[in-house]
């Protein structure tokens, strides 16, 4: 039976669709592949901002992802997570961007060879 | 030639914004970057060993370069990180009845030599070379 893909997409709850995703090199911040990402800003080692091409409706969205490091040349031993920092001076999660921090398990700054980020929400 | 956007951020360091391939860099400049950000050719950024000292980059005019005193501080932190991690590894080996390749005194001497090499460095190549003996010692100790 033929399946009409556009019909399926239209029937899907928009909240179930990934609003933005990216795979980039943590050292150079070069984007390998992405959807709805206009740029990556490297603010410091382990500190990046993902900027969206089209803004999300609100900032109450979900961000997930992973980091990949070279073993054993990089020192991270639990490297697969990142944080979204809370700050009184800078909003880290907005409708137009999210700023992520990817330290090693020891809390040291080290650029992953791959950072992957996915965003779901409105 | 690929281009990126650079600007001095809130911490005084340099932020580098890399556009997606399907978005015009002028749009990224106006949409994703603060006032004062500039477009530069990617190959004008520090290359080679200078890449490892991203947190020590500084922007003067339209030139991004490595601030060597800041890079020394950064490499000192890297050395401390290596020592911290390896000290834990050495302690575990000792508790397990295994012998470390270097004695405690030789390990401390090696750290002091690397520290002195960092202090005497005037280039990023020298800063990178300063901690190679420590990295090699860690690798050798991990192999046993």
């Amino acid at each position: 039976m033929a399946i009409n893909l556009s019909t399926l997409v239209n029937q899907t709850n928009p909240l179930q669709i990934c609003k933005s995703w990216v795979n980039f090199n943590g050292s150079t911040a070069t984007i390998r592949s992405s959807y709805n990402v206009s740029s990556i800003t490297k603010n410091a080692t382990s500190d990046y901002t993902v900027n969206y091409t089209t803004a999300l409706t609100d900032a109450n969205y979900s961000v997930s992802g992973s980091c990949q490091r070279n073993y054993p040349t990089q020192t991270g031993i639990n490297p697969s997570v990142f944080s979204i920092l809370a700050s009184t001076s800078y909003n880290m999660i907005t409708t137009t961007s999210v700023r992520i921090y990817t330290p090693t398990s020891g809390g040291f700054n080290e650029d992953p060879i791959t950072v992957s980020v996915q965003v779901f929400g409105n | 030639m690929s281009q990126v956007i650079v600007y001095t951020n809130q911490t005084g360091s340099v932020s580098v914004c890399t556009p997606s391939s399907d978005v015009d860099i002028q749009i990224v400049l106006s949409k994703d970057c603060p006032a004062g950000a500039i477009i530069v050719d990617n190959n004008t950024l520090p290359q080679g060993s200078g890449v490892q000292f991203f947190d020590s980059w500084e922007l003067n005019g339209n030139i991004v370069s490595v601030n060597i005193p800041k890079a020394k501080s950064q490499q000192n932190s890297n050395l401390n990180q290596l020592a911290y991690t390896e000290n834990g590894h050495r302690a575990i080996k000792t508790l397990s009845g295994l012998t470390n390749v270097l004695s405690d005194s030789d390990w401390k001497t090696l750290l002091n030599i690397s520290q002195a090499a960092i202090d005497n460095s005037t280039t990023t190549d020298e800063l990178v070379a300063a901690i190679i003996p420590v990295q090699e010692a860690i690798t050798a100790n991990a192999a046993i």
Side-chain angles (χ1 to χ4, degrees):
Chain A
M1 186 177 76
I3 297 175
N4 186 320
L5 186 59
S6 61
T7 300
L8 272 180
V9 170
N10 289 335
Q11 289 176 344
T12 302
N13 185 331
L15 292 175
Q16 297 175 328
I17 298 174
C18 187
K19 294 299 191 298
S20 177
W21 61 264
V22 64
N23 172 318
F24 66 91
N25 181 317
S27 178
T28 63
T30 304
I31 298 170
R32 297 191 181 95
S33 190
S34 67
Y35 169 70
N36 194 29
V37 170
S38 58
S39 64
I40 299 294
T41 301
K42 183 174 178 181
N43 307 295
T45 302
S46 288
D47 181 344
Y48 314 92
T49 301
V50 179
N51 299 296
Y52 308 128
T53 305
T54 301
L56 279 77
T57 304
D58 61 57
N60 298 319
Y61 55 82
S62 171
V63 183
S64 60
S66 62
C67 305
Q68 178 187 19
R69 299 182 198 278
N70 278 323
Y71 180 83
T73 53
Q74 292 190 303
T75 54
I77 54 174
N78 182 19
S80 62
V81 296
F82 59 67
S83 305
I84 301 170
L85 296 179
S87 168
T88 55
S89 61
Y90 187 89
N91 193 356
M92 303 293 175
I93 181 164
T94 73
T95 58
T96 58
S97 68
V98 62
R99 186 166 175 173
I100 62 172
Y101 179 50
T102 64
T104 67
S105 54
F108 300 113
N109 295 331
E110 203 170 62
D111 290 327
I113 58 174
T114 298
V115 182
S116 298
V117 181
Q118 304 89 40
V119 173
F120 287 84
N122 289 310
Chain B
M1 182 178 299
S2 64
Q3 294 184 306
V4 295
I5 301 164
V6 296
Y7 56 90
T8 301
N9 60 35
Q10 293 170 318
T11 65
S13 299
V14 175
S15 284
V16 177
C17 180
T18 305
S20 174
S21 60
D22 57 352
V23 181
D24 187 274
I25 194 169
Q26 292 292 346
I27 294 174
V28 172
L29 176 65
S30 61
K31 187 177 77 64
D32 298 342
C33 301
I38 59 172
I39 297 172
V40 298
D41 290 337
N42 208 7
N43 62 8
T44 64
L45 300 178
Q47 306 289 317
S49 58
V51 173
Q52 297 181 40
F53 296 93
F54 182 90
D55 295 345
S56 302
W57 289 10
E58 60 184 6
L59 176 62
N60 292 306
N62 60 352
I63 301 296
V64 178
S65 58
V66 178
N67 179 315
I68 292 298
K70 202 171 174 184
K72 283 186 179 185
S73 175
Q74 186 180 338
Q75 194 68 327
N76 273 325
S77 295
N78 291 337
L79 180 62
N80 289 336
Q81 174 181 341
L82 289 171
Y84 173 85
T85 305
E86 178 63 5
N87 285 340
H89 179 230
R90 290 174 62 86
I92 290 171
K93 286 186 76 170
T94 300
L95 287 170
S96 302
L98 300 172
T99 303
N100 288 295
V101 172
L102 292 179
S103 67
D104 285 349
S105 61
D106 286 346
W107 170 240
K108 287 176 183 173
T109 298
L110 184 60
L111 291 175
N112 288 335
I113 290 172
S114 285
Q115 178 69 68
I118 291 171
D119 292 342
N120 293 327
S121 294
T122 58
T123 67
T124 54
D125 283 347
E126 290 174 354
L127 284 171
V128 170
I131 66 170
I132 286 177
V134 171
Q135 292 170 321
E136 290 177 342
I138 291 172
T139 300
N141 204 35
I144 297 177

